[in-house]
Amino acid sequence: MEDNNSIDIAEDDPRWLGAWWIGFLMSWIFAWSLIIPFSCFPKHLPGTAEIQDGKTSQIHQSNSLQHTDGDFGQSFKDFPAALKNLMRNTVFMCLVLSTCSEALVTTGFATFLPKFIENQFGLSSSSAATLAGTVLIPGAALGQILGGIFVSKFKMTCKNIMKFALLTSITALALTFVFVYANCENEPFAGVSESYNGTGELGNLTAPCNANCNCLRSYYYPICGGNGIQYFSPCYAGCTNSVSKRHPKVYYNCSCIERKTEVTPTPSSFSFEAQAGKCSSQCKNLPVFLGIFFAAIVFTFMAGTPITVSILRCVNQKQRSLALGIQCMLLRLLGTIPGPIIFGITIDSTCILWDINECGIKGACWIYNNIKMAYMLVAISVTCKIITVFFNGLAVFLYKPPPLGTDVPFQNQNSVVTTVSLECDLSKAGHDG
């Protein structure tokens, strides 16, 4: 039987990790290389004051912003009041919550999309990760760029920018249902969904044909039999001979694989009973899935730049930095941190074959229910997208642009806010009198 204690791991072994640290090292170098040129920029670029003086303030008109004087924000003691003002800015909070919902689903897919592709379409881990990166990274970059171009080219007002973000969110919601189309049935797996030639029972990898092999449940090395059935390892397939010089490695004389005659491998023989690796999937929807999912990523990230611009326009000029800081904090707490956790728990709930080590402790999942996984991911994605659409729509509904005649340059917006507040107070006093 196959030696279960062998420590030789080839690239086609599921336990193969490769140089996993290279990506982190390159990201670290790239991030630090950007710090040097960015540190050379001044606090304000030349001409900033003139540009701001030519723009008009589109700050959201709410009661929380009517008592901001020109010296507000100069001292740390103003921080609680500034934080309270932003929290009471309903439009700002709606936009932040919509970005949190999007961050939850995007970080979840960035982490687990390779696993989905690997299981649904029967690819190796490396191939699935490569395809996922090819779709996610260019799609996100293209979406961000297109969103910025549309906002800049059409010179949208704050409300129109929010409407544009709402439209792209609705489109991304519709495209998310691609996971229903992409679901594929699991390939036959001996002991899990298929019996060992009519022997054994489902849910048990051990059958009469491999009962005396002393196979380890912790050693997962899938092979595909000539009968189209996948086996947990050569040991569980009862294979006694192999040829390692061929790639992928091939196996002969497997007691659990039905055959008509005894096979004796020869140098010129190309027939075999099983070969290393998963059986090729019969699901042919991969190109269509990647194309539609790429479009969903583009429309998802197309709303990123417009929402950031909307946040900057709907808060007070002196509270912009604090607003972005609050958005970043909530984005982490409600989006990027719980996203992979929720996706991981959800995907684990679809597991049908766990790794059990020699001590009987459950480890990683080897086999998932593809149909259930697809529908669970659709449920999470659609729920998050609906939350995003809801808060984007609510922001459009609640946003109140400055009254006609009060649009003034950013440099003078504080004095106008004070004037508007004074007029409101005088009008209220006259009404009460």
Side-chain angles (χ1 to χ4, degrees):
M1 295 299 171
E2 188 75 14
D3 183 10
N4 289 314
N5 296 320
S6 174
I7 60 175
D8 296 329
I9 300 178
E11 294 183 10
D12 58 351
D13 195 303
R15 299 169 297 172
W16 174 269
L17 294 178
W20 56 268
W21 47 270
I22 291 181
F24 292 95
L25 179 62
M26 294 180 62
S27 300
W28 178 80
I29 295 175
F30 181 71
W32 275 96
S33 65
L34 294 177
I35 293 178
I36 298 175
F38 272 115
S39 63
C40 298
F41 284 96
K43 183 177 181 180
H44 297 288
L45 294 176
T48 301
E50 291 78 4
I51 294 175
Q52 287 185 342
D53 193 56
K55 292 184 177 180
T56 57
S57 173
Q58 299 181 40
I59 184 173
H60 172 55
Q61 301 300 295
S62 65
N63 294 331
S64 62
L65 304 172
Q66 291 181 356
H67 303 287
T68 306
D69 54 41
D71 297 328
F72 184 79
Q74 300 296 323
S75 175
F76 183 77
K77 66 181 182 180
D78 295 328
F79 177 77
L83 184 62
K84 182 179 179 181
N85 282 342
L86 288 176
M87 291 299 181
R88 293 176 61 187
N89 189 331
T90 53
V91 174
F92 166 72
M93 292 305 300
C94 286
L95 294 175
V96 169
L97 291 176
S98 72
T99 58
C100 292
S101 177
E102 285 290 76
L104 189 149
V105 69
T106 52
T107 54
F109 278 122
T111 306
F112 290 103
L113 182 62
K115 182 175 288 291
F116 175 83
I117 296 177
E118 175 186 354
N119 286 274
Q120 294 289 336
F121 302 102
L123 302 179
S124 64
S125 299
S126 58
S127 300
T130 301
L131 286 176
T134 304
V135 172
L136 287 171
I137 297 176
L142 180 61
Q144 291 274 18
I145 295 172
L146 289 178
I149 291 176
F150 279 115
V151 171
S152 176
K153 184 174 181 61
F154 294 101
K155 301 186 183 302
M156 300 180 185
T157 62
C158 187
K159 190 155 193 171
N160 286 338
I161 293 176
M162 294 181 192
K163 290 180 180 179
F164 175 77
L166 176 62
L167 178 62
T168 58
S169 299
I170 293 175
T171 306
L173 170 62
L175 294 173
T176 301
F177 286 94
V178 67
F179 286 96
V180 177
Y181 171 78
N183 69 80
C184 303
E185 293 282 353
N186 290 79
E187 297 299 319
F189 197 108
V192 178
S193 60
E194 192 81 13
S195 64
Y196 288 90
N197 303 326
T199 63
E201 57 183 22
L202 297 183
N204 188 359
L205 295 177
T206 303
C209 61
N210 58 28
N212 298 323
C213 297
N214 297 320
C215 302
L216 296 179
R217 177 79 175 266
S218 58
Y219 177 69
Y220 177 60
Y221 188 88
I223 64 172
C224 181
N227 53 3
I229 298 177
Q230 184 172 312
Y231 296 84
F232 188 86
S233 68
C235 181
Y236 276 104
C239 300
T240 57
N241 299 97
S242 65
V243 176
S244 58
K245 294 182 179 179
R246 291 186 57 181
H247 184 78
K249 189 176 182 179
V250 296
Y251 297 87
Y252 300 87
N253 297 332
C254 305
S255 59
C256 293
I257 301 178
E258 187 177 7
R259 60 188 183 280
K260 296 181 179 179
T261 59
E262 188 75 11
V263 179
T264 302
T266 62
S268 60
S269 174
F270 290 93
S271 60
F272 54 88
E273 292 186 47
Q275 64 178 2
K278 299 178 181 179
C279 294
S280 58
S281 175
Q282 301 301 317
C283 190
K284 306 302 180 183
N285 300 332
L286 181 59
V288 178
F289 167 75
L290 292 178
I292 299 178
F293 189 76
F294 178 81
I297 292 296
V298 171
F299 278 99
T300 296
F301 281 87
M302 197 181 292
T305 300
I307 288 181
T308 302
V309 173
S310 300
I311 289 176
L312 294 176
R313 291 191 183 185
C314 75
V315 300
N316 188 276
Q317 172 75 4
K318 292 188 175 182
Q319 294 182 305
R320 286 182 165 186
S321 298
L322 180 60
L324 292 179
I326 292 175
Q327 181 202 19
C328 185
M329 180 190 69
L330 293 178
L331 202 68
R332 300 294 185 271
L333 292 178
L334 303 179
T336 57
I337 293 178
I341 298 175
I342 294 174
F343 269 72
I345 294 174
T346 303
I347 291 178
D348 280 348
S349 68
T350 67
C351 182
I352 56 179
L353 181 63
W354 289 94
D355 173 26
I356 305 296
N357 63 16
E358 295 86 343
C359 301
I361 300 176
K362 184 170 68 174
C365 179
W366 296 129
I367 305 296
Y368 296 90
N369 185 324
N370 288 346
I371 301 297
K372 187 177 179 181
M373 178 191 290
Y375 280 101
M376 292 293 283
L377 291 183
V378 167
I380 297 178
S381 303
V382 170
T383 300
C384 291
K385 293 292 185 181
I386 289 176
I387 293 174
T388 300
V389 171
F390 171 78
F391 281 113
N392 282 341
L394 191 60
V396 173
F397 177 76
L398 295 176
Y399 174 74
K400 296 179 182 179
L404 294 176
T406 62
D407 285 358
V408 295
F410 283 123
Q411 305 293 336
N412 304 318
Q413 70 172 349
N414 289 327
S415 61
V416 171
V417 170
T418 305
T419 302
V420 172
S421 175
L422 179 60
E423 290 177 353
C424 291
D425 292 341
L426 290 175
S427 175
K428 182 178 178 181
H431 178 72
D432 294 340

